[in-house]
Amino acid sequence: MIKVGIIGAGRIGRVHITSITTRVPDAVIKTVADPFLNDETAAWAKSMGVEHTTKDYKEIINDPEISAVLICSSTDTHSPISVEAIKAGKHVFCEKPIDHDIAKIKEVIDALEGTNLKYQVGFNRRFDHNFESLQQAVAAGKVGKPEIIKITSRDPEPPSIDYVKVSGGMFLDMTIHDFDMVRYLAGCDATEVYVQSANLVDPAIGEAGDVDTAVITLQMENGAIAVIDNCRRASYGYDQRAEVFGSDGMAAISNDSQSSTVISNAEGVTGEKPMFFFLERYMDAYGKEVAAFIDAIVNDKETPLNVYDGLKPVLMGLAAKKSSEEHRPVKISEIME
Amino acid sequence: MIKVGIIGAGRIGRVHITSITTRVPDAVIKTVADPFLNDETAAWAKSMGVEHTTKDYKEIINDPEISAVLICSSTDTHSPISVEAIKAGKHVFCEKPIDHDIAKIKEVIDALEGTNLKYQVGFNRRFDHNFESLQQAVAAGKVGKPEIIKITSRDPEPPSIDYVKVSGGMFLDMTIHDFDMVRYLAGCDATEVYVQSANLVDPAIGEAGDVDTAVITLQMENGAIAVIDNCRRASYGYDQRAEVFGSDGMAAISNDSQSSTVISNAEGVTGEKPMFFFLERYMDAYGKEVAAFIDAIVNDKETPLNVYDGLKPVLMGLAAKKSSEEHRPVKISEIME
Amino acid sequence: MIKVGIIGAGRIGRVHITSITTRVPDAVIKTVADPFLNDETAAWAKSMGVEHTTKDYKEIINDPEISAVLICSSTDTHSPISVEAIKAGKHVFCEKPIDHDIAKIKEVIDALEGTNLKYQVGFNRRFDHNFESLQQAVAAGKVGKPEIIKITSRDPEPPSIDYVKVSGGMFLDMTIHDFDMVRYLAGCDATEVYVQSANLVDPAIGEAGDVDTAVITLQMENGAIAVIDNCRRASYGYDQRAEVFGSDGMAAISNDSQSSTVISNAEGVTGEKPMFFFLERYMDAYGKEVAAFIDAIVNDKETPLNVYDGLKPVLMGLAAKKSSEEHRPVKISEIME
Amino acid sequence: MIKVGIIGAGRIGRVHITSITTRVPDAVIKTVADPFLNDETAAWAKSMGVEHTTKDYKEIINDPEISAVLICSSTDTHSPISVEAIKAGKHVFCEKPIDHDIAKIKEVIDALEGTNLKYQVGFNRRFDHNFESLQQAVAAGKVGKPEIIKITSRDPEPPSIDYVKVSGGMFLDMTIHDFDMVRYLAGCDATEVYVQSANLVDPAIGEAGDVDTAVITLQMENGAIAVIDNCRRASYGYDQRAEVFGSDGMAAISNDSQSSTVISNAEGVTGEKPMFFFLERYMDAYGKEVAAFIDAIVNDKETPLNVYDGLKPVLMGLAAKKSSEEHRPVKISEIME
């Protein structure tokens, strides 16, 4: 039985607490730490079978019984706590992104070096039934050699301006999931990024120095061209589609909705909107990613998404940011220098 | 070049005039006859290249140059004019139904006996791209041995009460197309019919002695069970779907709409309604059925729908009517006695 | 906290054990009883947090701490154990059908009389996201007054012949779910049933005195006509669709598949088959039905499916059987006499 | 009655001959000219009602009875014959592109100046039922302010290498239709183009100096970002889809197939491939564009696609070519200089 500590009991921390409790028989949560922990959250955690709650995450770091840590705290703490946890000999599951600063991610890489510790980064979409099935179809050669990879990724509504300001920008906060997905579907890295971006949704986003709408073209190592289109607002809900076109065919996935009910009447033939947002659409994927992390520990396997899988989308995001600012194609190698 | 006479210049007569003029290079229309022919229709026919128009259909019957006749006049005239035309040595395309009275249809059968004349009945749906493709899939064994055949056939709006009164009832007027389709898809005849019917759309239809809603179950000779559901009114347009389930799979067709445009917004994901009614949905099929008739003459082939294909659905319709009235399963053989 | 006893640890019993453990915070399973309980099942139950396992269900009946019982044993034991449990003052969730014998169901009804005990019958499909959404659309008036209700319900493969022999026949074993669904969607009872049935899948089923393919027409109290088509074998998986057509439109649901992946290649445009069978398709519904049962107890509400909801589909099934045998429409009132 | 001359009796010339003959009652074809005219084509033209055939297009230019000319000859002749025809006082329908050389197009513009002659360029896709419906939805404000416009345009198979060499390159030969479509859907011009292109389909295309796969990003005047993905080969047929995403929703169109038949079996749920290529998919659109041209003449209206609509996509194509070669975003204004 793996004893787990969870650092951060916000929205995503609570998702992981629920997943481990109900879906991961090989793990129990010993401690949940959150500097803003209130009585309600503490009581809920207890009701879920969590042994102990605290405001101090050091209690987790210093607990020799805890062998695995989930880092669900604010982004700026991801890399330092990762390093601390690794140094304390713990396996780490870290929410995305590890950091916006390459140097900080390299500190995590350095800390891992020479250990046999598992490190997994939380790109949950790889565990979604649609994206997983799409990747398997491509990897099985169902479309031949990939040539064009397309991802549509639009949020139902923009985050608060306060969040936008600390988010690292749309490419590091939102597109980063799509950058991971491009790598997952292509089975290789990108070499260059070109961004056409705009501020169309809310002028306040532009005033905060960010964009909210973009088309991002990527040259992939295997010769394929990838294109992502993003918007921070879609009136019909969370739009999460992808398509891989290749020498022998095309594989595509569409959105999930709550039911398949279609109403035909004088107004037309109307089905349901896509599920509202990531918590609705990816709840099952969150459970599967954590189960995969525990499985990697229990059975001493590679995690499905290691620290380099955490690094690469950040490089892509920084290149995208640079392309957006300098209005030219930017090579990933420019960022790594 | 086949010279054609068209008897009846109503809605469907005009459809055939247009088809022959624009799509059937082996035929020209010499004469159009209609007792209610007005100047406007005559002028339009001339503009379509029709040589001659008249109120007297005998001009067509007696014209030795005309070798093929299309009977598009009122239902009660279908069988007598068929007999006249056959006796005058002409090939006949007759709109459905030949007659509601089996004895009258038998007169047409008798008239055809010993001649080499072509006779085709106008069950146009067999020429629709969807139904044709479905039949071909079934005939090619794509679903194995047929076991359940389902047809949904709903009109967008009921006909006028005046028409209902002379229509022969829903089963002989509307369902008759579905009875033909069941035979076409099953590749065999029905042996028994059971009807569950109701008057739900308009009380005036019930007062006229008819029904407007029904579920009709048929036992087919090959062991399959068929089921048709009908309604005289569908708020979303003309609903024309079918499904054949068999030992190795299922083949199904859905409705056609004017375009594939789908709008996603806060209200849902909305596509277009089915095409409004038979003239929109089956315009191409009308052209193909007439082309097939001319082709049968020119190349001395069997017509795709002969006089017996005209008889059988009438038997099924009369059995359905009897089942609806007597509230019991009725064998087709009861009607033939 | 409700203490629950589970009688029967077969396939469906284990589903309910899992549901209660992971999804129903207000209930714990104290005891699981199964006459064929083996070490493996007992160990698994323990790992799920079940306190006690036994071969003797009387331990549950006689345990004053246990207030709710789930009866998941063989069909012939449903009604006697229901009566025993009720007499012991326990709330009962009973798998479908309560019994094939109306008199036995009436004993359960009698036992319940004068108590305030909850009784729920396991028609799980009402809790499926698609069927629930369809029912809500109809109940909300989205299609106007219901006129035609259609259910397609086909199993991927027939049960063993041994099971067929004790199943009570297809109408009481398989169609019974569809009979419940017709009542749920129509919002009323059926008054008459007509069955067209056949033995097309496996001659051994016919030799066992049963049918495997049927089209079942029902007259509903509210004037609507319902039609169910069943087959014990569908090469493409579990086919579970429904459609409600009414005065103002149509609502329809389609099958669920594992993912939305569609492959386009030289062979066509191919999506996934429907989920294989009821355990795949309805796993979430099983969880929701048990949660609803516990909720009814905790909050003293009506169960969503009471003992009469268990009785009515049996009446419909017996009428269907009679119709199939006597080849005529059979009124439900004939069965109740 | 408009007398028409058709210059060029190749594939597309014959499409227009058929359209005018069967669908455009206000026009007759007096003369068809083609330098390679053979007996078979001449006989076919006669059978379609064409009065006269010739190898010399000057017979059309010099015929005072002919008021409208359709130029369907090879691309290099489009602009000089346009100028000749205009100078002879004839209305002109010119196949796309007018020319690859801006100066040559300007000669056509100059020739038109001061005349009241109609000039239409053959971007047929605007007349396709799907694209037309999509444009109408956008123009009617159904998606709000357009923000992202996506076009997928893939041919089933590449042209011959001989054709590739004289085609002007993929952007001027194939993407030019998509450039027109982007303008049509956005309701405005593009200001900048960025191309990510590759030679993935056939090395011979690369050796001929062309590309066969591309993702093209465009900045539109109204702030929207457009993206086109092209490939010269799609194993599943002609892929012609589009999507307009805006502030209030999304409108999307999908491919047309020959029928809606879907087969469900052990292999999956399989529908038909898209229609094979442009002649299958756009046959109806070809008829409508010519009808619109004749209508513009008869009723003295603007043609739906004037000479500037012919110029703009060439500018976009030249900018795309430059972007592909120089690997940077290129402004349309750079091309106009």
Side-chain angles (χ1 to χ4, degrees):
Chain A
M1 185 65 68
I2 306 295
K3 295 223 170 180
V4 173
I6 293 186
I7 298 172
R11 190 164 54 177
I12 201 66
R14 287 195 295 267
V15 167
H16 293 318
I17 291 168
T18 306
S19 294
I20 292 175
T21 307
T22 60
R23 298 178 51 155
V24 187
D26 290 330
V28 288
I29 305 168
K30 183 171 179 198
T31 306
V32 170
D34 193 305
F36 307 106
L37 191 79
N38 57 26
D39 289 351
E40 191 188 358
T41 303
W44 173 81
K46 288 280 165 67
S47 82
M48 295 299 287
V50 172
E51 213 172 287
H52 177 58
T53 58
T54 171
K55 294 194 175 187
D56 182 8
Y57 78 92
K58 299 273 185 188
E59 289 190 32
I60 289 173
I61 301 292
N62 296 329
D63 185 338
E65 268 190 17
I66 290 176
S67 57
V69 173
L70 275 69
I71 304 174
C72 317
S73 45
S74 62
T75 296
D76 57 313
T77 68
H78 288 179
S79 70
I81 298 182
S82 285
V83 171
E84 275 188 87
I86 292 162
K87 288 190 172 159
K90 299 189 192 316
H91 305 291
V92 173
F93 176 98
C94 182
E95 273 305 317
K96 66 91 205 168
I98 305 179
D99 206 287
H100 298 150
D101 181 344
I102 302 300
K104 293 290 202 71
I105 301 176
K106 287 195 172 150
E107 288 174 19
V108 178
I109 293 174
D110 291 344
L112 282 166
E113 192 150 339
T115 75
N116 193 26
L117 295 171
K118 308 300 175 192
Y119 193 88
Q120 184 172 330
V121 65
F123 286 120
N124 57 300
R125 290 185 200 169
R126 291 198 185 199
F127 301 87
D128 173 66
H129 65 134
N130 288 339
F131 283 102
E132 194 171 48
S133 161
L134 177 60
Q135 191 274 342
Q136 287 170 359
V138 174
K142 296 267 175 77
V143 304
K145 195 178 161 315
E147 294 172 348
I148 300 174
I149 297 168
K150 294 169 70 177
I151 293 177
T152 292
S153 177
R154 300 168 189 156
D155 285 354
E157 55 190 23
S160 69
I161 292 300
D162 283 349
Y163 178 81
V164 165
K165 286 175 183 167
V166 301
S167 69
M170 188 175 78
F171 304 114
L172 284 164
D173 177 54
M174 174 181 170
T175 322
I176 198 164
H177 277 290
D178 307 309
F179 289 138
D180 176 62
M181 189 48 61
V182 162
R183 295 182 67 238
Y184 180 55
L185 295 175
C188 70
D189 277 311
T191 58
E192 195 184 78
V193 182
Y194 176 76
V195 170
Q196 193 83 25
S197 63
N199 170 221
L200 302 174
V201 173
D202 183 352
I205 293 173
E207 285 155 21
D210 203 358
V211 297
D212 50 38
T213 308
V215 171
I216 301 133
T217 309
L218 300 113
Q219 179 61 49
M220 305 305 294
E221 272 177 354
N222 63 0
I225 303 169
V227 59
I228 297 163
D229 72 271
N230 284 152
C231 189
R232 281 286 199 184
R233 174 264 301 119
S235 65
Y236 50 90
Y238 196 38
D239 195 347
Q240 297 279 292
R241 289 172 289 151
E243 168 182 323
V244 180
F245 170 81
S247 52
D248 295 337
M250 172 173 67
I253 56 172
S254 48
N255 286 308
D256 284 354
S257 53
Q258 181 53 34
S259 87
S260 63
T261 302
V262 171
I263 310 272
S264 298
N265 60 24
E267 273 70 49
V269 175
T270 304
E272 292 191 10
K273 287 186 288 186
M275 287 177 166
F276 178 64
F277 213 165
F278 60 96
L279 286 183
E280 290 79 13
R281 167 66 187 267
Y282 292 125
M283 190 49 79
D284 188 59
Y286 285 117
K288 288 202 278 187
E289 70 172 354
V290 169
F293 171 61
I294 300 298
D295 179 54
I297 297 170
V298 171
N299 298 301
D300 194 16
K301 305 196 301 195
E302 288 292 303
T303 60
L305 278 149
N306 66 25
V307 69
Y308 296 97
D309 295 308
L311 170 65
K312 300 294 180 65
V314 176
L315 294 174
M316 295 161 86
L318 291 169
K321 206 172 168 188
K322 197 178 186 73
S323 174
S324 180
E325 286 161 5
E326 303 184 3
H327 200 50
R328 64 172 180 91
V330 171
K331 292 203 185 304
I332 301 298
S333 58
E334 296 182 45
I335 304 302
M336 289 192 290
E337 281 156 12
Chain B
M1 183 65 69
I2 306 295
K3 294 224 170 180
V4 173
I6 293 185
I7 297 172
R11 191 165 52 178
I12 201 66
R14 288 195 295 268
V15 167
H16 292 320
I17 291 168
T18 305
S19 294
I20 292 175
T21 306
T22 59
R23 300 180 49 156
V24 187
D26 289 329
V28 288
I29 305 167
K30 184 173 178 195
T31 305
V32 169
D34 192 306
F36 306 107
L37 191 79
N38 57 27
D39 290 351
E40 192 188 356
T41 302
W44 173 81
K46 287 281 165 68
S47 82
M48 295 300 287
V50 171
E51 212 172 289
H52 178 59
T53 58
T54 172
K55 294 195 175 186
D56 182 8
Y57 78 93
K58 299 274 186 188
E59 288 190 35
I60 288 173
I61 302 293
N62 296 329
D63 184 339
E65 269 191 15
I66 289 176
S67 58
V69 173
L70 275 68
I71 304 174
C72 318
S73 47
S74 63
T75 295
D76 58 313
T77 68
H78 288 179
S79 71
I81 297 182
S82 285
V83 171
E84 274 187 89
I86 291 162
K87 288 190 171 157
K90 297 189 193 316
H91 304 291
V92 173
F93 176 98
C94 182
E95 272 306 316
K96 66 92 208 169
I98 304 178
D99 207 287
H100 299 152
D101 180 346
I102 301 299
K104 292 290 203 71
I105 301 176
K106 287 196 171 149
E107 287 174 21
V108 178
I109 292 173
D110 290 345
L112 283 166
E113 193 151 339
T115 75
N116 193 26
L117 294 171
K118 307 301 174 193
Y119 193 88
Q120 184 172 330
V121 65
F123 286 120
N124 57 299
R125 289 184 200 171
R126 291 198 185 199
F127 301 87
D128 172 66
H129 65 134
N130 288 340
F131 284 103
E132 195 171 47
S133 161
L134 177 59
Q135 192 274 340
Q136 286 169 0
V138 174
K142 295 269 175 74
V143 302
K145 194 176 163 315
E147 295 173 347
I148 301 174
I149 297 167
K150 294 169 70 175
I151 293 177
T152 293
S153 177
R154 301 168 190 156
D155 285 354
E157 55 190 22
S160 69
I161 292 299
D162 284 349
Y163 178 81
V164 165
K165 286 175 183 166
V166 301
S167 68
M170 188 176 78
F171 304 114
L172 285 164
D173 177 55
M174 175 180 169
T175 323
I176 197 165
H177 278 291
D178 308 310
F179 289 139
D180 175 62
M181 189 48 62
V182 162
R183 295 182 66 238
Y184 180 55
L185 294 175
C188 69
D189 279 309
T191 58
E192 196 183 77
V193 182
Y194 175 77
V195 170
Q196 193 83 23
S197 62
N199 170 221
L200 302 174
V201 173
D202 183 352
I205 293 174
E207 285 155 22
D210 203 358
V211 297
D212 49 37
T213 308
V215 171
I216 301 134
T217 308
L218 301 112
Q219 178 61 51
M220 304 306 294
E221 272 177 354
N222 63 0
I225 303 170
V227 59
I228 297 162
D229 71 271
N230 284 152
C231 188
R232 282 284 200 185
R233 174 264 302 118
S235 65
Y236 50 89
Y238 196 38
D239 195 347
Q240 298 278 292
R241 289 171 289 152
E243 169 181 322
V244 180
F245 170 81
S247 52
D248 295 338
M250 171 172 67
I253 57 173
S254 48
N255 286 308
D256 284 354
S257 53
Q258 181 54 35
S259 87
S260 63
T261 302
V262 171
I263 310 272
S264 298
N265 59 25
E267 272 69 48
V269 176
T270 304
E272 291 192 9
K273 286 185 288 187
M275 286 176 166
F276 179 64
F277 213 166
F278 60 95
L279 287 183
E280 289 80 13
R281 166 66 188 267
Y282 292 126
M283 190 50 79
D284 188 58
Y286 285 116
K288 287 202 277 186
E289 69 172 353
V290 169
F293 172 61
I294 300 297
D295 179 54
I297 298 170
V298 171
N299 297 302
D300 194 15
K301 304 197 300 197
E302 287 292 304
T303 60
L305 278 149
N306 66 25
V307 69
Y308 296 97
D309 295 308
L311 170 66
K312 300 296 179 63
V314 176
L315 293 173
M316 294 160 86
L318 291 169
K321 206 172 167 187
K322 198 179 186 71
S323 174
S324 180
E325 286 162 6
E326 302 183 4
H327 201 52
R328 64 171 181 90
V330 171
K331 291 202 184 305
I332 302 298
S333 58
E334 296 182 45
I335 305 301
M336 289 193 289
E337 282 157 11
Chain C
M1 183 67 67
I2 306 294
K3 294 223 171 180
V4 173
I6 293 185
I7 298 172
R11 191 164 51 177
I12 201 68
R14 287 195 295 268
V15 167
H16 292 321
I17 291 168
T18 305
S19 295
I20 292 176
T21 306
T22 60
R23 300 178 49 155
V24 187
D26 290 330
V28 289
I29 304 168
K30 182 172 180 195
T31 305
V32 169
D34 192 305
F36 307 107
L37 191 80
N38 57 27
D39 289 352
E40 191 187 357
T41 303
W44 173 80
K46 289 280 167 68
S47 82
M48 296 300 288
V50 171
E51 212 174 287
H52 178 58
T53 58
T54 172
K55 293 194 175 187
D56 182 9
Y57 79 92
K58 298 273 187 191
E59 289 190 34
I60 288 172
I61 301 293
N62 297 328
D63 185 338
E65 267 191 17
I66 291 176
S67 58
V69 173
L70 274 68
I71 303 174
C72 317
S73 46
S74 62
T75 296
D76 57 313
T77 68
H78 289 179
S79 70
I81 298 182
S82 285
V83 171
E84 274 187 88
I86 293 162
K87 289 190 171 159
K90 298 188 192 315
H91 304 291
V92 173
F93 176 97
C94 182
E95 272 306 316
K96 67 91 208 169
I98 304 179
D99 206 288
H100 298 151
D101 181 345
I102 301 300
K104 293 290 203 70
I105 302 175
K106 287 194 172 149
E107 289 174 18
V108 179
I109 293 173
D110 291 346
L112 283 166
E113 193 151 340
T115 76
N116 193 25
L117 295 171
K118 307 300 174 192
Y119 193 88
Q120 184 172 329
V121 64
F123 286 121
N124 57 300
R125 289 185 200 170
R126 291 199 184 197
F127 301 87
D128 173 66
H129 65 134
N130 289 338
F131 284 102
E132 194 172 48
S133 161
L134 177 59
Q135 192 274 341
Q136 287 169 359
V138 174
K142 296 269 176 75
V143 302
K145 196 177 161 315
E147 294 173 348
I148 300 175
I149 297 167
K150 295 170 69 175
I151 292 177
T152 292
S153 177
R154 300 168 189 156
D155 285 354
E157 55 190 22
S160 70
I161 291 300
D162 283 349
Y163 179 80
V164 166
K165 286 175 183 165
V166 301
S167 69
M170 188 176 77
F171 304 113
L172 284 164
D173 178 54
M174 176 180 169
T175 321
I176 197 165
H177 278 291
D178 308 309
F179 289 138
D180 175 62
M181 190 47 61
V182 162
R183 295 182 66 239
Y184 180 54
L185 295 175
C188 69
D189 278 311
T191 58
E192 194 184 77
V193 181
Y194 176 77
V195 170
Q196 193 82 25
S197 62
N199 170 221
L200 302 174
V201 173
D202 183 352
I205 293 174
E207 286 155 20
D210 203 358
V211 296
D212 49 38
T213 308
V215 171
I216 301 134
T217 308
L218 300 113
Q219 179 61 49
M220 305 306 294
E221 271 177 355
N222 63 359
I225 303 170
V227 59
I228 298 162
D229 71 271
N230 284 152
C231 187
R232 281 286 201 184
R233 174 265 301 118
S235 65
Y236 50 89
Y238 196 39
D239 196 346
Q240 298 279 291
R241 289 171 288 152
E243 168 182 321
V244 180
F245 170 81
S247 52
D248 295 338
M250 172 172 67
I253 57 173
S254 48
N255 286 307
D256 283 354
S257 53
Q258 181 54 35
S259 87
S260 64
T261 303
V262 171
I263 311 273
S264 298
N265 60 24
E267 273 68 49
V269 176
T270 303
E272 292 192 10
K273 287 185 287 187
M275 286 178 167
F276 178 64
F277 213 165
F278 60 96
L279 287 184
E280 290 80 14
R281 167 66 188 266
Y282 292 126
M283 189 50 78
D284 188 59
Y286 285 117
K288 287 202 279 186
E289 70 172 352
V290 169
F293 172 61
I294 299 298
D295 179 54
I297 298 170
V298 171
N299 297 302
D300 194 16
K301 305 197 300 198
E302 286 293 302
T303 61
L305 278 148
N306 66 24
V307 69
Y308 296 96
D309 295 309
L311 169 66
K312 299 296 179 65
V314 176
L315 294 174
M316 294 161 87
L318 292 169
K321 206 172 169 189
K322 198 178 185 75
S323 174
S324 181
E325 286 162 5
E326 303 183 3
H327 200 51
R328 64 170 182 91
V330 172
K331 292 203 184 305
I332 301 298
S333 57
E334 297 182 45
I335 305 302
M336 288 193 290
E337 281 157 11
Chain D
M1 184 66 68
I2 306 294
K3 295 225 170 178
V4 173
I6 293 185
I7 297 172
R11 190 165 52 178
I12 201 66
R14 288 195 295 268
V15 167
H16 292 320
I17 291 168
T18 305
S19 294
I20 292 175
T21 308
T22 59
R23 299 178 50 153
V24 187
D26 289 330
V28 289
I29 304 167
K30 183 172 179 195
T31 305
V32 169
D34 192 307
F36 306 107
L37 191 79
N38 58 26
D39 290 352
E40 191 187 356
T41 303
W44 173 80
K46 287 282 165 66
S47 83
M48 294 300 287
V50 171
E51 212 172 287
H52 177 59
T53 59
T54 172
K55 293 194 174 186
D56 183 8
Y57 79 93
K58 299 274 185 187
E59 288 190 35
I60 288 173
I61 301 293
N62 296 329
D63 185 338
E65 270 191 15
I66 291 175
S67 58
V69 174
L70 274 70
I71 303 174
C72 317
S73 46
S74 62
T75 296
D76 57 313
T77 68
H78 288 180
S79 70
I81 297 182
S82 285
V83 172
E84 275 187 89
I86 293 163
K87 289 191 172 158
K90 299 189 191 315
H91 305 291
V92 173
F93 176 98
C94 183
E95 273 305 318
K96 67 90 207 171
I98 304 178
D99 206 286
H100 298 150
D101 182 344
I102 301 300
K104 293 289 202 73
I105 301 175
K106 288 195 172 151
E107 288 174 19
V108 178
I109 293 173
D110 290 345
L112 282 166
E113 192 149 340
T115 75
N116 193 25
L117 294 171
K118 307 301 175 193
Y119 192 88
Q120 184 171 330
V121 65
F123 287 120
N124 57 300
R125 289 184 200 170
R126 291 198 184 198
F127 301 87
D128 172 67
H129 64 135
N130 288 340
F131 284 102
E132 195 172 47
S133 161
L134 178 59
Q135 192 274 340
Q136 286 169 0
V138 174
K142 296 268 175 77
V143 302
K145 195 177 162 316
E147 295 173 347
I148 301 175
I149 297 168
K150 295 169 70 175
I151 292 178
T152 292
S153 176
R154 301 168 189 157
D155 285 355
E157 56 191 21
S160 70
I161 292 299
D162 283 350
Y163 179 80
V164 166
K165 286 175 183 165
V166 301
S167 69
M170 188 175 77
F171 305 112
L172 284 164
D173 177 55
M174 175 179 168
T175 322
I176 197 164
H177 277 290
D178 307 309
F179 289 138
D180 176 60
M181 189 48 62
V182 163
R183 296 182 66 239
Y184 180 55
L185 295 175
C188 69
D189 278 309
T191 57
E192 195 184 76
V193 182
Y194 176 76
V195 171
Q196 192 83 25
S197 62
N199 169 220
L200 301 175
V201 173
D202 183 353
I205 293 173
E207 287 155 21
D210 203 357
V211 296
D212 49 37
T213 307
V215 171
I216 301 133
T217 308
L218 300 113
Q219 179 60 50
M220 305 306 294
E221 271 177 355
N222 63 0
I225 303 170
V227 58
I228 298 163
D229 70 271
N230 283 153
C231 188
R232 282 286 200 184
R233 174 265 300 118
S235 65
Y236 50 89
Y238 196 38
D239 195 346
Q240 297 280 290
R241 289 171 288 151
E243 169 181 321
V244 180
F245 170 81
S247 52
D248 295 338
M250 172 173 66
I253 57 173
S254 48
N255 286 306
D256 283 355
S257 53
Q258 182 53 35
S259 87
S260 64
T261 303
V262 171
I263 310 273
S264 298
N265 60 24
E267 273 69 48
V269 176
T270 304
E272 292 192 8
K273 286 186 290 187
M275 287 178 165
F276 178 63
F277 213 165
F278 60 96
L279 287 183
E280 290 80 13
R281 166 66 187 266
Y282 293 126
M283 189 51 79
D284 188 60
Y286 285 118
K288 287 201 278 186
E289 69 172 353
V290 169
F293 172 60
I294 299 299
D295 179 54
I297 298 170
V298 170
N299 297 302
D300 194 16
K301 306 198 300 198
E302 287 293 302
T303 60
L305 277 148
N306 66 25
V307 69
Y308 295 97
D309 296 307
L311 170 65
K312 300 296 181 63
V314 176
L315 294 173
M316 294 160 87
L318 291 169
K321 207 173 168 188
K322 197 178 186 74
S323 174
S324 180
E325 286 162 5
E326 304 184 2
H327 200 51
R328 65 172 180 90
V330 171
K331 292 202 186 304
I332 302 297
S333 58
E334 296 182 45
I335 305 302
M336 289 193 289
E337 282 156 12

